[in-house]
Amino acid sequence: MRQLKISLKDNSYDIFIENGIISKANEYIKEVYKNKKVYIITDSNVEKQYLNQVIEVLKNDFIVDYVVIPAGEESKCLNVYASVIDSLLEKNIRRNELLIALGGGVIGDLVGFISATLYRGLPYVSIPTSLLSQMDSSIGGKTGIDFYDRKNIIGCFKQPSLVLIDPLTHKTLDKREFNNGMGELIKHAIIGNDRLFNLLLEKSIIDENIIYESLSVKKRVVELDPFDQGERMLLNFGHTFGHAIELKMNLKHGEAVAVGMLMAIKFGVDLGLTDSDIHSKVKQVLDLYDLPSFEVDYKEYLKETLYDKKNLAGIVNFILVDKIGHAFIHKIKEDELKWML
Ligand code: NAD
C-alpha cells in the first residue's frame, strides 16, 4: 500500500493506493464520515464492473443509494448535472451527507462540482477507476462541467475528503482509454520525476508504486498552487501543441499530449533551452507503451498557440523541459512569436 497526503491551508486529505482497496472502502470512509447515508454516483460502464461490489462493502457501515449516468464526456454537462441533483433531491439527500464519485475523470469532475454546489457544499470521497483519474484528476480539487463545446468552462475548486485508488480496477479499461492515461502519466515523469521515468523505461506494469510516483508530481504542484495561478501550469507540458493537433488528427487527449510533448521538446531544443538527448528518450518510452510518437513540425502549429486559452494577453506561456524531471515556464511575447512565424 502507498499513501499520500495533500496538505492545503484549509483542507488536507489522504490518498490511499492499494490493490483491492475497494473491497474494504467502508473501513476508510468511516474514518472521515460519521453520518449514515452515502450516495454513489457512477457511469453506465463502471456500474457494470464495480457498482455492486462497492454497494455490498459499503452496506457493512452505511445506508447506500446510487445514481447512474451515461458514460462519456457528454455527461459533463448542465443537463446531467441537473438530473443528478434532481435524483439526489428525490432520494431526500440531506446537507452533510456524503457523495461518492465512482468512475473516471468525468464522474470525478461532475461529482466534485455537485458536491461543491448542492446545498452550497457536501463532502465527497473519490474512488477513481480509470488510469487518468487514478494518476491525475482525482486529486487537486478542480471540478466542473463543459458548456456547449467549451470544456471545463463552468466549475470551481473543491477538494475531496478522501481518495481511494485501486490499481486493479484500471485493468478493465479498453486499450485506448488506458493509453489516454498513460500519455499523462509519462508527462508527469518528464516534468517532475526522473525516477518514475526510469521505472517506465523498464516497461513496468502500472501498479501502486507507479501511480504513487505520478501522483507525487501532481501533489507538489497542487500544494504550491492550489488555485491554478502559477506552477500548476507546468502540468500543461505537451498540451499547447497537443490541443492544436487533437481534433485535427482524431487523437485521444493523452495521445495528442504524447505527440505534443515531442513537439515541445523540439521547440525547446531549437530555442537552445532543452537538452537534445531528451527527444529520443521520450520517444523510446512512448513507443514502449504504444503511444503515438510520430513527428509533427511544431512550426506549423505555433500560430495556433497564440489563441490558447491559458495565455494572458500579450504573452504566450510555453512549458518546456531542460532535462528529464524538470519543467519550467518560458514566456514569449506575442510580438516575438509573430516574428518567429
Ligand atoms: P471518463 O471518465 O470518460 O472515463 C473514460 C471511459 O472509461 C469511460 O467510458 C468510462 O465509463 C470508462 N471507465 C472508467 N473506469 C473504468 C474501468 N475501471 N473499467 C472500464 N471502463 C472504465 O474519462 P477519463 O479519461 O477518466 O477522464 C477524462 C476527464 O477528466 C475529462 O473530462 C477531463 O476534462 C477530466 N480531467 C480532469 C482533471 C482535473 O484535475 N479535475 C485533470 C485531467 C482531466
Side-chain angles (χ1 to χ4, degrees):
M1 202 247 273
R2 303 298 310 258
Q3 185 178 347
L4 279 163
K5 190 178 199 79
I6 301 287
S7 302
L8 300 172
K9 210 159 64 188
D10 24 74
N11 201 336
S12 297
Y13 53 97
D14 288 310
I15 301 147
F16 296 99
I17 313 160
E18 189 181 3
N19 287 342
I21 202 166
I22 57 170
S23 61
K24 46 186 178 179
N26 55 323
E27 299 292 330
Y28 291 87
I29 292 175
K30 71 184 184 196
E31 294 299 315
V32 297
Y33 177 64
K34 303 299 174 195
N35 290 336
K36 265 289 159 217
K37 196 126 194 232
V38 300
Y39 299 82
I40 302 169
I41 301 166
T42 193
D43 75 25
S44 47
N45 291 336
V46 180
E47 174 195 17
K48 292 187 200 103
Q49 300 285 352
Y50 304 107
L51 181 62
N52 283 340
Q53 189 187 351
V54 175
I55 289 176
E56 282 313 308
V57 75
L58 293 182
K59 269 185 177 166
N60 290 316
D61 287 288
F62 304 103
I63 301 164
V64 187
D65 209 336
Y66 64 90
V67 179
V68 180
I69 64 166
E73 182 71 27
E74 302 71 35
S75 280
K76 246 176 76 173
C77 67
L78 272 179
N79 284 345
V80 175
Y81 167 79
S83 80
V84 174
I85 289 190
D86 198 33
S87 305
L88 292 170
L89 293 173
E90 285 268 307
K91 290 171 188 297
N92 216 6
I93 188 169
R94 301 295 171 85
R95 240 167 256 241
N96 294 333
E97 288 182 333
L98 184 76
L99 302 181
I100 298 178
L102 175 68
V106 164
I107 283 288
D109 283 9
L110 178 72
V111 175
F113 188 49
I114 292 171
S115 121
T117 47
L118 179 58
Y119 294 135
R120 298 197 189 86
L122 297 172
Y124 81 106
V125 164
S126 201
I127 307 183
T129 57
S130 67
L131 179 58
L132 183 115
S133 56
Q134 295 186 342
M135 53 61 60
D136 182 343
S137 67
S138 58
I139 71 169
K142 274 193 185 178
T143 76
I145 55 177
D146 306 331
F147 187 60
Y148 297 110
D149 55 356
R150 296 182 187 86
K151 256 188 79 74
N152 300 325
I153 208 82
I154 300 176
C156 62
F157 288 90
K158 164 88 181 180
Q159 306 293 338
S161 305
L162 172 71
V163 182
L164 299 177
I165 299 176
D166 186 339
L168 295 180
T169 58
H170 72 241
K171 307 277 183 253
T172 50
L173 280 178
D174 73 34
K175 176 82 178 114
R176 272 196 98 186
E177 291 300 349
F178 180 81
N179 278 1
N180 197 33
M182 229 19 245
E184 297 278 1
L185 196 149
I186 293 168
K187 178 202 74 184
H188 277 182
I190 299 169
I191 64 168
N193 192 334
D194 57 345
R195 190 173 55 236
L196 174 58
F197 193 84
N198 291 332
L199 285 171
L200 293 174
L201 273 174
E202 293 164 13
K203 181 77 172 101
S204 307
I205 55 156
I206 306 307
D207 58 7
E208 296 170 8
N209 197 36
I210 297 260
I211 291 174
Y212 169 88
E213 293 291 348
S214 174
L215 283 177
S216 62
V217 175
K218 175 113 181 221
K219 166 186 154 71
R220 210 162 54 230
V221 289
V222 164
E223 286 177 346
L224 281 169
D225 181 18
F227 297 108
D228 199 8
Q229 306 285 319
E231 279 84 357
R232 259 205 211 195
M233 229 191 279
L234 298 176
L235 297 172
N236 290 330
F237 177 60
H239 283 62
T240 304
F241 291 117
H243 284 150
I245 61 168
E246 190 170 332
L247 280 183
K248 212 167 274 177
M249 299 192 174
N250 195 21
L251 296 170
K252 295 282 292 180
H253 179 69
E255 295 171 332
V257 168
V259 177
M261 291 193 292
L262 291 175
M263 294 164 81
I265 290 169
K266 277 268 161 82
F267 186 37
V269 171
D270 288 352
L271 289 170
L273 298 168
T274 298
D275 177 352
S276 58
D277 291 349
I278 293 181
H279 190 273
S280 60
K281 285 191 194 157
V282 170
K283 184 170 173 359
Q284 189 186 346
V285 172
L286 295 176
D287 290 342
L288 269 177
Y289 293 90
D290 285 337
L291 280 155
S293 65
F294 51 81
E295 290 297 322
V296 179
D297 186 356
Y298 72 83
K299 293 187 195 97
E300 287 177 23
Y301 290 89
L302 271 180
K303 194 170 177 188
E304 294 178 34
T305 64
L306 284 171
Y307 308 109
D308 194 293
K309 68 173 190 252
K310 304 262 182 219
N311 292 322
L312 303 172
I315 301 273
V316 183
N317 290 308
F318 285 98
I319 311 305
L320 300 177
V321 286
D322 46 6
K323 55 182 186 193
I324 296 291
H326 185 256
F328 59 94
I329 301 167
H330 181 64
K331 293 182 186 298
I332 302 186
K333 291 200 182 105
E334 260 183 37
D335 295 348
E336 277 175 56
L337 195 66
K338 281 183 184 146
W339 184 81
M340 282 184 202
L341 294 168

